[in-house]
Amino acid sequence: KQEVTQIPAALSVPEGENLVLNCSFTDSAIYNLQWFRQDPGKGLTSLLLIQSSQREQTSGRLNASLDKSSGRSTLYIAASQPGDSATYLCAVPRETSGSRLTFGEGTQLTVNP
Amino acid sequence: GAGVSQSPRYKVAKRGQDVALRCDPISGHVSLFWYQQALGQGPEFLTYFQNEAQLDKSGLPSDRFFAERPEGSVSTLKIQRTQKEDSAVYLCASSLVGDSISYEQYFGPGTRLTVT
């Protein structure tokens, strides 16, 4: 059974700092990995999707990397802003070709002005 | 364009009541998913539809939970005889294609269910 772990559970940083969020998964036979953002009381917003054949994806100040062999992904946020404060979740498909997602418990990020 | 919408956004039910949660996916999206998110946890998969066919219901926690998507668009998640442990946010997501293909899931805002 696929298990996803995110470290740290919570992170508080001053504005402007670069930071890294970590995600690990137990079954490396994944099709892709997706990073989401969740604001309080809201649904999930997709940030980046990395296919298994890719090593990284970038969108603006966000960069996500994927190392399937070691079962790890990182989300790098450059020059953090207070508006980045949210919970960040990573998710992988439940089976190699399936689309049902298994999520980590998330990292709650606070960026202080 | 319009995203995934869910209604109601908040629902308070007394223990033992039945509830029905609605999801309107993005128009034309083939796949539809329901997830349950307890406070402070990541979402947990409940069930999956491809068009009107329910292909996977392995995540439904008990036979009190029932989902349908009769015309391949709108979906309803029904919970019978609600219990306090059913209190959670219920998230709906849709994607353009089904299994085995690159996809991206788009989530609705969720319905927060509180059972008293």
Side-chain angles (χ1 to χ4, degrees):
Chain A
K1 177 186 172 186
Q2 178 73 273
E3 294 183 2
V4 180
T5 304
Q6 290 188 246
I7 296 173
L11 182 63
S12 181
V13 300
E15 182 177 3
E17 193 161 297
N18 302 326
L19 57 100
V20 175
L21 308 182
N22 297 289
C23 172
S24 61
F25 43 94
T26 54
D27 184 349
S28 62
I30 61 170
Y31 195 76
N32 53 50
L33 182 144
Q34 198 164 0
W35 281 93
F36 293 88
R37 167 186 174 138
Q38 186 172 34
D39 292 281
K42 303 287 181 61
L44 278 64
T45 301
S46 178
L47 297 173
L48 291 163
L49 184 151
I50 312 176
Q51 301 298 338
S52 60
S53 58
Q54 299 174 314
R55 292 196 63 83
E56 64 178 66
Q57 277 277 21
T58 298
S59 176
R61 295 181 294 107
L62 305 180
N63 176 276
S65 67
L66 175 62
D67 184 344
K68 273 186 59 177
S69 61
S70 67
R72 296 178 189 275
S73 176
T74 60
L75 179 66
Y76 175 83
I77 303 177
S80 59
Q81 303 172 356
D84 295 330
S85 298
T87 296
Y88 291 81
L89 295 149
C90 68
V92 296
R94 296 177 87 205
E95 298 90 29
T96 54
S97 61
S99 49
R100 290 131 275 184
L101 297 176
T102 297
F103 284 84
E105 295 191 345
T107 294
Q108 186 174 1
L109 173 65
T110 302
V111 181
N112 301 299
Chain B
V4 178
S5 62
Q6 293 186 246
S7 60
R9 291 293 316 279
Y10 304 92
K11 177 70 178 178
V12 178
K14 292 187 177 179
R15 189 165 61 93
Q17 282 185 332
D18 298 348
V19 298
L21 313 180
R22 177 186 169 107
C23 172
D24 285 81
I26 294 173
S27 178
H29 276 198
V30 168
S31 295
L32 185 145
F33 308 82
W34 283 98
Y35 294 86
Q36 179 190 58
Q37 186 175 25
L39 189 64
Q41 304 292 313
E44 296 273 347
F45 168 78
L46 294 177
T47 187
Y48 161 61
F49 290 86
Q50 190 164 329
N51 295 308
E52 69 278 3
Q54 188 174 20
L55 299 186
D56 186 347
K57 53 183 181 180
S58 63
L60 296 177
S62 78
D63 59 8
R64 295 186 295 104
F65 287 70
F66 172 76
E68 61 183 5
R69 193 186 185 197
E71 297 179 358
S73 55
V74 171
S75 177
T76 303
L77 176 67
K78 298 179 179 178
I79 309 173
Q80 297 177 324
R81 305 181 303 281
T82 52
Q83 303 295 314
K84 285 197 172 184
E85 60 264 28
D86 299 335
S87 296
V89 175
Y90 291 85
L91 295 166
C92 174
S94 70
S95 69
L96 184 59
V97 295
D99 281 353
S100 304
I101 298 175
S102 301
Y103 70 95
E104 189 166 347
Q105 291 190 23
Y106 297 87
F107 281 76
T111 294
R112 181 177 295 278
L113 173 65
T114 303
V115 181
T116 61

